[in-house]
Amino acid sequence: MTTDAATAVAHPNIALIKYWGKRDEEWMIPAVDSLSLTLDVFPTTTTVRLAPAGQPDRVLLDGRPAEGEIEKRVLVFLDMLRARTGRREAAVVDTRNTVPTGAGLASSASGFAALAAAGAAAFGLDAGPAALSRLARRGSVSAARSIFGGWAICHAGSGSGAEADLGSFAEPIAAPDFDPALVIVVLNAGPKAVSSRAGMRRTTETSPLYRAWADAGRADLAEMRTALARADLDQVGEIAERNALGMHATMLAARPAVRYLSAATLTVLDAVLALRAAGTSAYATMDAGPNVKILCSRTDAALVADEMRAAAPGCRVLTAHRGPGVRLEAVR
Ligand code: PMV
């Protein structure tokens, strides 16, 4: 029997300073700070409906029972909500994604941000934005940033365990004059072969390049904040591109290598370089998948999209902009 339900909508975000690697897996504490833009495309809508204690939890993804790792992560999240609130009810989680799940298109960011907001409301947890961001982080670190609209920075904090939990959350950063476009080139929307969780674990444990990238990331972040405040597209783009390529270099040096970039990814990267050589400010970033997101001005977005369609025939291209933070839609 239904006792209580809440629905929330969240959007994915794309990091321009990447998070890769955890300091504490149990508490989901990132090893590095990150900075991202929440988008206005691919929302996730999640309803959490409480059910009588003793019933099994149920997880539905796009109307079908979720399986494997996805189901497990949601069940762990529900256990955490019960532990935090002292409540015993079971829950039915109904999630609708408009983004392909697990394809490096940030479905876990929008998914766990929506689950955190809907779950907190359904279980009666009174959480302000920072607390909600910490909660979302327990599902997926990138989800901590999708609590907020526009630009957000996620702090790695210090220490480990419960102490680190308090210091690791996202918060919005002001960049009122910087409102670029992000052209998303979807080369393969299928689920990735190596989950980001497994990929980052292998990278931090075995890649001799990981520490150097993490150290460089601190300087990247400081420079990025200045470039954002100045609304300097070329500077923001240069820093974002080198930070992303550096992250993929750490993975390529892992043993065995973790490689998300495909031949088509490199073709698109060549097309981005060609655009720049021809005078268009366009910069690429890639996550745990082959797809490429290209930062450019709003006025250049149509040109960039056309060039990418020509470079990688058959790919799907769409243009995103700054989007909203998580929104609680209905509480019953
Ligand atoms: O939080 P996860 O498990 O979705 O990891 C995301 C990691 C990257 O997308 C590659 C980088 C980032 O900061 O979003």
Side-chain angles (χ1 to χ4, degrees):
M1 201 181 64
T2 300
T3 50
D4 225 336
T7 298
V9 181
H11 289 75
N13 69 75
I14 295 300
L16 298 190
I17 299 291
K18 305 291 187 190
Y19 136 69
W20 192 251
K22 292 183 186 68
R23 208 168 65 239
D24 183 325
E25 275 203 25
E26 192 198 333
W27 285 83
M28 300 285 284
I29 310 292
V32 293
D33 295 339
S34 56
L35 183 150
S36 64
L37 178 66
T38 298
L39 306 181
D40 60 352
V41 296
F42 296 148
T44 296
T45 304
T46 296
T47 298
V48 176
R49 205 178 304 279
L50 299 191
Q55 286 193 5
D57 292 323
R58 285 177 60 214
V59 184
L60 300 171
L61 182 59
D62 297 324
R64 292 195 204 97
E67 291 167 357
E69 193 62 25
I70 293 177
E71 184 193 25
K72 203 172 107 199
R73 286 173 67 178
V74 175
L75 296 180
V76 167
F77 195 87
L78 292 173
D79 284 340
M80 182 197 60
L81 274 176
R82 279 185 286 262
R84 289 274 290 267
T85 56
R87 294 182 67 157
R88 298 178 46 245
E89 289 97 327
V92 180
V93 176
D94 187 344
T95 288
R96 313 245 159 199
N97 265 341
T98 50
V99 53
T101 304
L105 286 167
S107 58
S108 69
S110 54
F112 278 103
L115 177 60
F123 279 95
L125 185 70
D126 191 12
L132 209 52
S133 176
R134 277 204 297 269
L135 195 65
R137 195 205 72 233
R138 299 292 296 274
S140 168
V141 170
S142 56
R145 304 183 306 238
S146 274
I147 297 300
F148 303 100
W151 302 99
I153 182 168
C154 183
H155 305 286
S158 57
S160 61
E163 180 208 338
D165 179 50
L166 282 175
S168 183
F169 56 90
E171 58 185 344
I173 52 174
D177 302 326
F178 192 52
D179 193 14
L182 205 65
V183 174
I184 302 175
V185 186
V186 184
L187 296 164
N188 180 353
K192 52 197 163 218
V194 182
S195 72
S196 50
R197 188 168 292 207
M200 62 180 77
R201 187 186 298 147
R202 194 191 300 167
T203 306
T204 52
E205 286 174 359
T206 70
S207 175
L209 303 190
Y210 181 75
R211 193 35 57 203
W213 171 77
D215 289 346
R218 269 192 288 279
D220 283 347
L221 179 64
E223 283 179 44
M224 178 64 90
R225 295 192 72 153
T226 308
L228 274 180
R230 285 199 196 122
D232 185 336
L233 173 63
D234 287 301
Q235 189 66 15
V236 169
E238 269 174 34
I239 300 166
E241 199 175 274
R242 76 183 184 215
N243 182 270
L245 288 171
M247 175 183 76
H248 286 279
T250 69
M251 300 179 199
L252 292 172
R255 298 164 189 189
V258 178
R259 182 166 65 87
Y260 293 114
L261 311 182
S262 68
T265 308
L266 300 183
T267 301
V268 170
L269 291 181
D270 277 348
V272 171
L273 280 182
L275 268 173
R276 280 219 293 278
T280 302
S281 293
Y283 299 88
T285 184
M286 293 78 64
D287 294 286
N291 307 309
V292 185
K293 296 95 184 181
I294 302 163
L295 186 76
C296 62
S297 71
R298 283 184 175 243
T299 43
D300 285 339
L303 166 75
V304 171
D306 283 348
E307 290 295 320
M308 297 309 132
R309 282 191 195 96
C315 66
R316 180 178 169 213
V317 181
L318 69 155
T319 300
H321 305 104
R322 170 205 298 245
V326 71
R327 180 177 80 238
L328 205 52
E329 248 186 7
V331 184
R332 288 185 297 280

